[in-house]
Amino acid sequence: MGMPQILESTPRIRPTPAPATNSIGAFLFDVDGVLADTARLHEAAWRRLAIREGLSLDTDTARSLRGLSRSDSLRRVLGQRRVTQHRFNELMEQKNCDYLRQVEQLTPTDVLPGSSELLEELPGFGIRVAAVSASCNARPVLDRLGLLDRFAAVVDGTDDVSTTGHRFLSASAVLRVEPSRCVVVEDSTTGAAAARQFGMKCLGLGDATALCMATMVFESLRGVDARSLLRWLTRTPH
Ligand code: G6P
Ligand code: MG
């Protein structure tokens, strides 16, 4: 028998696979409502302020405050009520002091189920992690939860970045992972929309209707392992 014919198209050397540019390189975790149930603490502090001020705050409006800045939240709480700039600042300060008193009570046991495990597993898959929040209190919250040193970057409301989307972009730049390879983990409609607007995938946590912009939605991170999550996210197109 002669030598097997080598077909023209048969590569003799296996080509080096192209770099996996579409692979996931970073997770950007929102803080309030994702790592801890602090969205509930924000909401409760706004409710107490509304009661003190004799304002009515219905459940839908209270829910819609998730992901909004402190000033945008107060505008929504005030509704038609007009106040001076001085009073507006006083009210923001009151709400913040109230909220910070609740933050002081947080401990590592308040980390939401599944988040800690995921933060621990992801680096093993070569994934970089950042915390991204509109809150000026994100660092104290992460500190109380014992999570501060888990993140390669923290971009929050104290940084000179004006919108949620720009905070995501800033985190992607700090981590040196292009936006298309970033996954944002978010519980708010605003956050999910901003992530998609800037070409990032979004893992929504909570109500599927409110998070219809997200790439996929889970009720929570409980029981979600990094390997399966990465497989699902990689297979789901942008
Ligand atoms: C996050 C929360 C919002 C909060 C905002 C500002 O985005 O989801 O509810 O209003 O941060 O937080 P801060 O702690 O600075 O008032
Ligand atoms: Mg949130």
Side-chain angles (χ1 to χ4, degrees), residues 208-221:
T209 312
L211 292 162
C212 59
M213 295 287 287
T215 314
M216 56 177 61
V217 181
F218 291 149
E219 215 170 289
S220 81
L221 290 174

Side-chain angles (χ1 to χ4, degrees), residues 24-200:
I24 289 158
F27 267 55
L28 314 183
F29 284 85
D30 173 33
V31 176
D32 298 320
V34 166
L35 298 175
D37 202 4
T38 40
R40 194 176 45 82
L41 302 184
H42 277 292
E43 198 178 310
W46 285 122
R47 278 186 191 286
R48 286 190 288 272
L49 180 132
I51 292 168
R52 285 196 303 274
E53 293 302 306
L55 293 155
S56 71
L57 183 62
D58 62 68
T59 311
D60 284 348
T61 310
R63 283 253 128 182
S64 76
L65 302 178
R66 274 175 193 241
L68 295 189
S69 69
R70 199 180 303 171
S71 53
D72 284 346
S73 302
L74 179 55
R75 266 180 222 106
R76 211 168 270 194
V77 171
L78 288 172
Q80 303 297 317
R81 169 94 54 98
R82 293 284 162 263
V83 294
T84 62
Q85 186 60 49
H86 178 72
R87 184 66 185 143
F88 190 89
N89 293 343
E90 266 180 4
L91 291 172
M92 284 204 297
E93 187 55 26
Q94 281 179 18
K95 183 268 171 180
N96 195 44
C97 291
D98 182 358
Y99 172 69
L100 282 177
R101 275 194 294 275
Q102 309 307 312
V103 167
E104 277 165 27
Q105 313 297 318
L106 292 173
T107 71
T109 60
D110 291 302
V111 177
L112 284 172
S115 315
S116 249
E117 293 83 341
L118 209 52
L119 284 173
E120 215 156 277
E121 284 183 65
L122 285 169
F125 290 87
I127 306 288
R128 310 201 71 202
V129 290
V132 183
S133 172
S135 174
C136 295
N137 300 306
R139 277 189 175 81
V141 167
L142 292 172
D143 193 28
R144 300 248 18 131
L145 297 172
L147 294 178
L148 202 47
D149 60 359
R150 299 280 186 92
F151 297 99
V154 177
V155 180
D156 64 16
T158 62
D159 290 295
D160 195 17
V161 184
S162 56
T163 70
T164 302
H166 288 97
R167 270 185 285 274
F168 293 149
L169 281 187
S170 170
S172 129
V174 174
L175 297 182
R176 296 175 183 276
V177 177
E178 54 268 46
S180 62
R181 297 180 59 225
C182 291
V183 177
V184 169
V185 190
E186 257 292 346
D187 69 319
S188 77
T189 309
T190 330
R196 302 318 303 280
Q197 187 192 346
F198 286 93
M200 300 180 182

